[in-house]
Amino acid sequence: MYNVFKIVNWLRVRNNADLRSDENAEELTQMKAMKLLYYIQAASLVVTGKRMFDNDIVAWKYGPVVEEVHKKYIGKRSIVDPVVPITAQDVQDYRDLQSDPTTSSILNSIYDTYGHSSAYDLMRQTHSEKPWQETEQSHVISDQKIKDYYTDVFTVSDK
């Protein structure tokens, strides 16, 4: 299990690279990071049977949120360069996560699938899905509810 901020750093480094290479790439906002973390956790629960990070995901008005990440970036819309500079530690976190095949596969699959959607589109998508809909606002979305719903969404390929 990883520290959630290591995963956020992975997202920030990947997005920063996209911004440099693709003029149509959209910056990683706090809201978008929350939705990507939610889908990363869901994919991890389905693929490995375990959480990728220990933090709970809470149903807030604008969708699933990891409260600790929200607290760290409060008041910031964008969480990539130049608002929040990419550090050597962020790059090392990215490399560490990329070096684990299962983790790398989950992170890259989620980013490739959802990373190019806007924060607003991801919010609308999470609002249309049962785990958020069936959880009272400001309450934790249970791992079981997430896993049960996404088992049919995220498939495990036989290698």
Side-chain angles (χ1 to χ4, degrees), residues 14 22 25 28 61 68 72 78-80 105 110 143 157:
R14 173 86 191 259
D22 178 0
L28 184 68
K61 179 179 179 180
E68 295 83 352
K72 177 174 181 173
S78 173
I79 61 170
V80 291
S105 175
I110 294 301
D143 288 356
S157 62

Side-chain angles (χ1 to χ4, degrees), residues 54 63-64 133:
D54 195 34
Q133 290 175 344

